[in-house]
Amino acid sequence: MDIAIVSRLGKLEFMAQALSEALPEARFFHWPEPEALSADIALCWAPEPGVLARMPNLRLIHSIGAGVDSILADPHLPPVPICRIRDEGLARAMADYVLWSVLYFHRQFDRVIANAGQHIWHRYEQRAREKMRVGIMGLGSIGSEVARVLSQHGYPVSGWARSRKDMAGVDVYAGDAELPNFLESANVLVCLLPLTAETEGILNHRHLSMLPEDASLILCSRGEHLVVEDLLELVKSGHMRGAILDVFTSEPLPACSPLWSTPGILVTPHMSGLAKPRDIASQIAENIARLERGETPHSVIDPSVGY
Ligand code: OXD
């Protein structure tokens, strides 16, 4: 079994040990080593467009993350299954990140931390939890876990997805027609959408200005969902209270980005959910074993919808 690691980010060394332990029989090649082109399986993160189409023996493309947008960005993908990582640990880690972020705004740590920098002692009136409605965009495996954890903590939770779903304790809105009603009630908006042609730029002036006054944004999906200038304008004008941003179109976020220094905006380094290399490698190994047995691998995505 020959496995190619295909990534513009290099050899993905952090995965090396876990992969060789989970797949002891496999031989690994790193694109652009020429042997990578004969591989049976490609493990990818942001592959260079066109490379996968040059692999005639390819039977499976596997993302090493939950997102597949950087793979689907290749217009010349060969017709083989594409799988993603689906990890409870990752969903739980993202739920922790979102819970922390909601508490940060709810308990006004954003204001208190800014005041502390100027040695200002000011105790804010505490806002009732019931008045902090959290709106979650994207109700896949990660969004559902985040919704579950937040509602367990007593927050009113709404969710928005492409199609209707039934979720205990969550007011679900579906499709474009229900997006305005969903946004109008979200005091904290959490974006966990997959990146597709329909969702790119969805966090724009029109949609963000539908949020109630003083609302905040938590972005841990993809930087491409957000129109940065629109957020900056709404935060500076005071319509929005602030944002916690974990993902950016260019990572690491360049030092010159105004996001670093705009009051109310907190930048974190794409840390909201990091699956453990061993968990990633064992899912990949399990999917390869399924393929060998002629079974459908787990977490195959549908390229026509983008996730
Ligand atoms: C992922 C990510 O897609 O970390 O797994 O963004």
Side-chain angles (χ1 to χ4, degrees):
M1 167 78 51
D2 285 353
I3 299 183
I5 313 267
V6 187
S7 171
R8 271 173 283 173
L9 301 187
K11 293 190 171 177
L12 307 178
E13 268 112 2
F14 70 97
M15 285 297 307
Q17 188 180 344
L19 284 171
S20 51
E21 280 168 15
L23 293 153
E25 318 273 275
R27 298 194 304 168
F28 292 93
F29 300 99
H30 299 90
W31 167 255
E33 287 168 356
E35 295 90 334
L37 292 178
S38 332
D40 311 275
I41 312 285
L43 305 185
C44 301
W45 185 258
E48 199 175 303
V51 173
L52 298 167
R54 293 170 54 199
M55 301 173 71
N57 303 330
L58 202 60
R59 290 193 290 143
L60 176 71
I61 298 171
H62 214 303
S63 170
I64 60 145
V68 285
D69 46 289
S70 73
I71 297 174
L72 297 180
D74 180 347
H76 308 291
L77 287 176
V80 300
I82 303 173
C83 297
R84 72 182 193 93
I85 297 298
R86 197 184 176 104
D87 181 47
E88 267 177 36
L90 179 132
R92 188 59 222 226
M94 294 194 72
D96 289 344
Y97 178 97
V98 174
L99 176 61
W100 181 89
S101 307
V102 170
L103 282 163
Y104 176 83
F105 290 115
H106 171 202
R107 296 303 309 273
Q108 324 224 37
F109 284 102
D110 54 340
R111 292 179 173 146
V112 168
I113 290 169
N115 288 347
Q118 298 179 61
H119 303 191
I120 295 171
W121 175 285
H122 180 77
R123 190 162 51 202
Y124 291 94
E125 199 177 308
Q126 198 173 309
R127 190 167 184 177
R129 196 174 287 260
E130 304 73 54
K131 298 226 166 94
M132 285 296 287
R133 176 165 287 275
V134 183
I136 300 175
M137 300 179 93
L139 294 174
S141 54
I142 295 174
S144 316
E145 174 63 6
V146 171
R148 189 189 66 75
V149 168
L150 288 167
S151 83
Q152 207 174 53
H153 277 78
Y155 288 103
V157 178
S158 321
W160 181 76
R162 216 162 56 105
S163 49
R164 188 155 316 281
K165 313 194 167 189
D166 269 344
M167 287 182 64
V170 181
D171 297 328
V172 177
Y173 296 78
D176 290 345
E178 296 182 12
L179 183 56
N181 286 346
F182 163 79
L183 291 170
E184 277 160 20
S185 66
N187 304 105
V188 182
L189 181 67
V190 181
C191 184
L192 291 164
L193 289 167
L195 180 65
T196 65
E198 286 76 41
T199 65
E200 183 166 356
I202 193 164
L203 302 173
N204 54 30
H205 197 283
R206 187 162 77 87
H207 289 145
L208 292 176
S209 54
M210 288 177 189
L211 295 169
E213 288 278 329
D214 208 40
S216 6
L217 170 70
I218 299 167
L219 177 66
C220 28
S221 46
R222 287 290 180 259
E224 287 81 354
H225 286 129
L226 176 66
V227 181
V228 168
E229 303 71 48
D230 292 356
L231 173 72
L232 288 171
E233 192 192 317
L234 288 160
V235 170
K236 285 183 189 157
S237 72
H239 177 78
M240 283 184 69
R241 172 176 181 154
I244 298 184
L245 308 176
D246 191 47
V247 287
F248 306 90
T249 49
S250 169
E251 294 183 7
L253 180 66
C256 60
S257 167
L259 293 170
W260 287 109
S261 50
T262 300
I265 295 184
L266 177 65
V267 166
T268 62
H270 200 146
M271 56 173 254
S272 55
L274 296 176
K276 294 195 193 69
R278 199 175 293 165
D279 295 340
I280 298 173
S282 75
Q283 281 189 45
I284 292 170
E286 163 72 4
N287 272 344
I288 293 176
R290 290 180 73 85
L291 195 74
E292 299 286 59
R293 294 195 296 265
E295 295 166 16
T296 308
H298 294 302
S299 306
V300 176
I301 62 102
D302 177 352
S304 70
V305 291
Y307 52 92

